[in-house]
Structures are given as C-alpha cells and as structure tokens.
Amino acid sequence: MYLAQQDRVDTAGLDEKQSWSPPENTLMMQGFEWHVPADQRHWQRLRKAIPDLKDIGIDNIWIPPGCKGMNPSGIGYDIYDLYDLGEFDQKGTRATRWGPKEDLQSLVQTAQDMNVGIYWDTVLNQKAGADSTEKFTVVKMDPEDRNNEISQPLTIAGWVGFDFPGRGEKYSPMKYHWQHFTGVDWDDASQQHAIYKILGQNKDWASDVSDEHGNYDYLMFADLDHSHPEWIGTELPISGMRIDAAKHYSASFQKEFVTHLRNTVGADYFLVGEYWRGEVGLLLEYLKLMDYEVSLFDVPLLGRFAATSKMAGGDLRKIFKGTLVEQMPSHAVTFVGNHDTTIIAPFFKPLAYSLILLRSQGQPCVFYGDLYGINGGPEPQPGPSCSGTLPILTRTRKLYAHGEQRDYFNRRNCIGFVRYGNYKHPFGLACILSNGGASYKRMFVGHRHAGELWTDILGHRNEAVLINNCGYGVFPVAAMSVSAWVNSQAEGRNGINRSFNENIYSL
C-alpha cells in the first residue's frame, strides 16, 4: 500500500462500476511536441518511425489534431474545419501542419498493419479562423469570475462565421454562425480583447464544467457547439481518442458523446480525457459522472513528480499520495511530460519514468519530446532525455515488468519495488531509486532465483548482485539515480540495449 487507509479518498464500491480497463502492459506514446517543424512531413516521419517504436514496446500512438487549423503552422488546437484532414485548399494551404490527408491515411494504415493503435486528438471546445464577422449581443464578463457580468448588454462584431469555401458541403453541410457559440474574446468593431458571453434564448455558460475563474466554460477563440467525432471514427481506422480541454465544456454532453461513440465505433475504443486539475477528488467526480467509461491523465501525479524533483530531500515515500494512479489505477494515464508542460527536473525524469513504466498500476504514456528531443521554446532539449535510457525502460516494461508487485517504500530518499513475473514472463525485476546519496536496499525477488546473478539493465551500476538462498538480494543505486536489476541471463536480455534511432528528422 502507498498510504494508510485514512489518507485515501473514499472509493469504496467503485471497483465493480469500472467498465473499462486497458490490456496488460500496453504502452502509448504522445507522437508530437509543440516545436515539431511545420514542414508538412510529420505524418511521414511517424510512419517511418513505427518499426522502431514497435520495437521498443509502443502499442499506441496519440497523434496531434489532424484537422485544418486557422493557419498553416498551427499546432492543431486552433481548429478551423473539423472535416478537413489536409484535403482542401483552405487557410492558405491544402495540407495541415503535419501533412496532407494521403500521408495521414498512409500513417494509419502502416500502424494498423503493424498492430499499433492510433489515438486521435479530439478538439471539441473551440473553433478559430472564422471566414467572416457577424454582429450579435453579448455581455462582458470578469475574466477572474466568469459568473460576474461587468457591462450592460452590447453589440459586437465577432469572428463566428464559418462557411468553409474550400470544402463546400463535402462530408457535412454544417455552417457556423453566432448562434452556435457561447462566447468569444475579440470584438472586431472596437478592436478590444475581453471575455464576451453571447446572449440569446437558452444561452449561458455550461454549469457542469470546472469551477476555476467561477466558471471555466470559456477557454479561447470561439466557444463551440459540438459535432464530428463519429465521422472521424469511420473515416480512419483509429482505436481511440484523447478528449482535449475536458474541463471546459459540459460533462453531460461528454457523457452522451462517449456513450454514442462506444455504441457506434466500438466498446474497446480507448478514450482519455485531458481534465487538467491537480486535485484527485475532482478527477474522481468527473470519472463518476462519465460512468467510468473514460480514463484521465494523472495531473496530480505530474505535480508530485515536479514538486519532489525540485525539493531537496523530497519524500519519495509519498510520491503517489493524492494521485489518480493511487486512487483508481485502472483509469489513470500516467505521464512525465507533454506538449504543454515539461516541469520535472532533468535528473528526476528517469526516476519518474521508472515509476510509471515498471510498476503494475496505471496506463503510462511516453512523451515524444523525451524520446526525440524538443526543438524550440524557452528551454529547448536538443536530444532525448533520461540520457538515452528511455527506450531501455520501455523494453524492460515489455519483457520483465509483469506479475505481482511488492513495495519497499520505507526510506525517505530511497525506495524500491519488485515485480515477480508471471507464467508467460517468469523473470521479474527489482527497481531501486534514490533522490539523495548512493544507497542500497535488501529486497526479496523469490526463492526460485537463488544463486542467480542480477545486473542493472540501465547500466548505472556495473557490479552484479548475487541472490542468496532465501531469495534476497542487496541492490545498490547511485546518487540521484535509478537502477533496474534483472537476471543477467534472462531471456531477451542481450537485445534490450540495442540501438534506437533517436534522430527522427533523419528518417
């Protein structure tokens, strides 16, 4: 157990309601970062990288939003046309930032051929890059309390007219006008930025959204009504979706959407929501509203990792306290960084990845920027993080991180755990971490391993550990480091350190 029972949020009775859980030991990767070159070749790069990614244990790739954005270099969250996947000449380009539709189809087909799933990034909260302005009535809202009106009703000119002249009515005749939105942040008539709530019959912010800023329905651009994902599910053979900005629009709508999607696309469809709150109780409430039909990114765990990595002598025993993977592991997508945030101290990233990749709880997600580097921004990372050991960790997960788990969380700055293996994967592993000085831990790996020599698969320690007649080994770890110990003769051991092409831009 990570914590005493009184430290846990009460989840009694929830297990029998959990209707979906991932297959054993699957691994997903976020397949982009903010600074991927806007050269319309990203779909090609990912397609060529699939064999390497499959080799290191990646089962599913979350790709960026593939719909046409408001400008050719848009990352995809500035959605203009949900039905344009790089097929129509709109917004100054036919292809999206990532490539034309044909390249996207080729990527998805290659992934399908290699039994790698593709997860679509579904952006349903906002639209951007309208074709024309329209006049309508609004009231200006306090940006810090969006329930507080700070003006009388006024008429503005907002960018809310979406006609899609390049696509016409192919795939959908739907056009958008002011009636389809709840808010905007720009009045073109007065050239003013503000948060404007659109007034009209049955119009208001949704009530079942995050309570930040009073009501966090409005996020950016033109706040949207919702359509389209069923079409994506039939247009491309994808196996799941990420729901962007889940805390910013109606949870009841999302529940209907998820139910409909599962009924039309498939019960095994993987759905993960981006509900960016650090309080685990709020995530549990959302999951309950969604009838546990989705998973969530474990934002509280990321916060724990970041705080512990930046605190001298941070208590590793509490690393999972108040996290989703502690409270409801079958619905927790664990991660170390993503396109929005890389807030963990570099020395701690290998420790954090070992805690999400080698343990039995949670569904881990590996970040593109940690595998291949980050090519811009205020803190560029020209090469892979974790000193290049991340592919070793992902292969170790596939080969050895199986079976029952025993924790040795008994020292503030040095913790460990053992995986005992199972019938199909009998070898198991022992992992030890330190965020302080060099240390060691005596751990039980099983009587059947007596007399074996175990070595650190990450190469941070060079010595061998002899498992004694009682099944125990004394496993060392270097200062501010992690070591993963495996039988030196274990099946697959010789191939685990084989090369990984970390230069995706050479593909």
Side-chain angles (χ1 to χ4, degrees):
M1 298 290 288
Y2 301 132
L3 303 168
Q5 186 63 39
Q6 61 266 28
D7 291 326
R8 296 173 61 87
V9 174
D10 182 11
T11 57
L14 294 185
D15 287 345
E16 65 272 15
K17 299 177 183 178
Q18 297 177 18
S19 55
W20 187 92
S21 60
E24 182 188 14
N25 256 27
T26 55
L27 180 58
M28 65 184 285
M29 182 193 79
Q30 178 179 353
F32 64 101
E33 50 100 4
W34 277 120
H35 307 288
V36 166
D39 59 3
Q40 302 181 350
R41 296 183 62 241
H42 193 61
W43 297 146
Q44 294 180 31
R45 282 190 287 269
L46 285 180
R47 178 179 60 80
K48 292 177 182 178
I50 284 176
D52 275 347
L53 295 172
K54 180 72 172 180
D55 181 62
I56 67 169
I58 302 298
D59 301 291
N60 301 286
I61 302 173
W62 152 27
I63 62 173
C67 305
K68 185 66 60 66
M70 67 184 292
N71 66 68
S73 62
I75 199 77
Y77 298 101
D78 57 339
I79 291 288
Y80 165 68
D81 188 354
L82 291 163
Y83 291 93
D84 184 356
L85 304 182
E87 183 178 1
F88 305 100
D89 187 3
Q90 301 187 111
K91 297 300 171 184
T93 179
R94 177 176 178 270
T96 67
R97 176 193 181 105
W98 319 109
K101 181 179 180 180
E102 295 84 356
D103 286 357
L104 172 60
Q105 291 170 320
S106 180
L107 162 65
V108 175
Q109 186 60 57
T110 298
Q112 188 176 43
D113 291 344
M114 296 199 67
N115 198 30
V116 171
I118 294 294
Y119 294 162
W120 187 260
D121 202 329
T122 307
V123 183
L124 298 178
N125 185 66
Q126 69 268 350
K127 291 182 74 66
D131 300 304
S132 61
T133 62
E134 295 179 357
K135 291 185 177 181
F136 46 91
T137 304
V138 301
V139 64
K140 192 182 295 185
M141 310 301 291
D142 182 345
E144 298 305 317
D145 181 2
R146 279 90 181 277
N147 293 317
N148 182 26
E149 300 179 0
I150 58 173
S151 78
Q152 296 297 314
L154 65 153
T155 299
I156 69 168
W159 287 94
V160 292
F162 290 82
D163 298 320
F164 314 117
R167 175 171 59 83
E169 297 194 356
K170 187 173 181 180
Y171 301 124
S172 172
M174 178 72 178
K175 313 296 180 186
Y176 289 87
H177 304 285
W178 72 265
Q179 297 94 335
H180 298 111
F181 300 92
T182 59
V184 295
D185 63 0
W186 176 253
D187 173 16
D188 206 60
S190 66
Q191 298 286 293
Q192 270 194 0
H193 274 293
I195 294 179
Y196 301 102
K197 184 169 72 173
I198 297 175
L199 300 180
Q201 187 174 6
N202 299 319
K203 276 198 173 295
D204 202 349
W205 302 139
S207 59
D208 50 347
V209 297
S210 173
D211 61 1
E212 296 163 278
H213 302 294
N215 179 295
Y216 218 172
D217 185 342
Y218 184 81
L219 176 62
M220 58 183 174
F221 301 129
D223 203 43
L224 176 73
D225 82 336
H226 306 103
S227 63
H228 148 277
E230 183 181 351
W231 172 78
I232 283 289
T234 54
E235 181 75 6
L236 297 169
I238 60 178
S239 51
M241 285 186 176
R242 170 189 179 266
I243 303 172
D244 181 61
K247 71 179 183 180
H248 294 285
Y249 60 104
S250 168
S252 59
F253 165 79
Q254 291 178 59
K255 182 178 178 180
E256 293 177 8
F257 158 61
V258 167
T259 300
H260 177 71
L261 196 60
R262 287 210 183 280
N263 289 339
T264 55
V265 181
D268 294 330
Y269 214 62
F270 179 74
L271 293 162
V272 56
E274 183 218 18
Y275 199 100
W276 202 267
R277 292 296 297 266
E279 306 90 341
V280 69
L282 296 175
L283 303 189
L284 293 171
E285 289 175 10
Y286 174 85
L287 287 172
K288 185 176 181 180
L289 284 172
M290 300 297 288
D291 285 338
Y292 309 101
E293 288 288 341
V294 301
S295 296
L296 288 178
F297 288 99
D298 196 344
V299 178
L301 179 64
L302 180 68
R304 279 277 171 192
F305 284 161
T308 305
S309 75
K310 296 173 182 178
M311 182 189 309
D315 194 342
L316 292 177
R317 297 169 300 180
K318 299 180 180 180
I319 197 71
F320 294 107
K321 183 177 181 180
T323 65
L324 189 60
V325 74
E326 177 212 22
Q327 303 292 338
M328 193 168 287
S330 62
H331 287 69
V333 173
T334 53
F335 65 111
V336 173
N338 66 12
H339 61 294
D340 284 324
T341 180
T342 54
I343 57 177
I344 296 173
F347 93 89
F348 198 81
K349 280 191 175 182
L351 283 71
Y353 269 116
S354 71
L355 288 169
I356 70 170
L357 290 171
L358 304 184
R359 294 176 61 77
S360 60
Q361 297 91 353
Q363 170 65 30
C365 180
V366 173
F367 177 41
Y368 178 100
D370 288 327
L371 270 176
Y372 296 113
I374 296 174
N375 286 283
E379 297 182 7
Q381 177 187 300
S385 64
C386 305
S387 301
T389 61
L390 188 48
I392 299 175
L393 280 169
T394 58
R395 287 188 178 115
T396 300
R397 170 181 173 81
K398 284 295 181 182
L399 289 172
Y400 309 120
H402 296 270
E404 294 297 321
Q405 177 176 292
R406 180 176 177 180
D407 288 343
Y408 291 81
F409 283 26
N410 54 354
R411 288 162 57 190
R412 180 183 181 91
N413 302 122
C414 182
I415 60 173
F417 58 92
V418 173
R419 298 296 301 277
Y420 289 110
N422 56 26
Y423 179 76
K424 291 184 178 179
H425 305 89
F427 291 100
L429 63 84
C431 185
I432 178 171
L433 309 88
S434 171
N435 67 339
S439 191
Y440 62 90
K441 196 170 289 291
R442 183 175 182 265
M443 296 187 286
F444 178 74
V445 297
H447 293 99
R448 62 192 175 89
H449 296 296
E452 294 178 355
L453 289 175
W454 286 36
T455 52
D456 178 12
I457 207 162
L458 300 177
H460 295 153
R461 302 289 300 207
N462 295 322
E463 66 267 53
V465 171
L466 177 65
I467 308 303
N468 70 18
N469 291 335
C470 296
Y472 283 86
V474 178
F475 299 96
V477 63
M480 313 285 275
S481 185
V482 57
S483 289
W485 297 85
V486 173
N487 182 344
S488 61
Q489 303 300 315
E491 183 180 351
R493 181 65 189 267
N494 292 335
I496 206 160
N497 287 300
R498 61 183 176 269
S499 64
F500 171 74
N501 187 354
E502 63 194 36
N503 186 7
I504 195 170
Y505 301 105
S506 70
L507 296 174

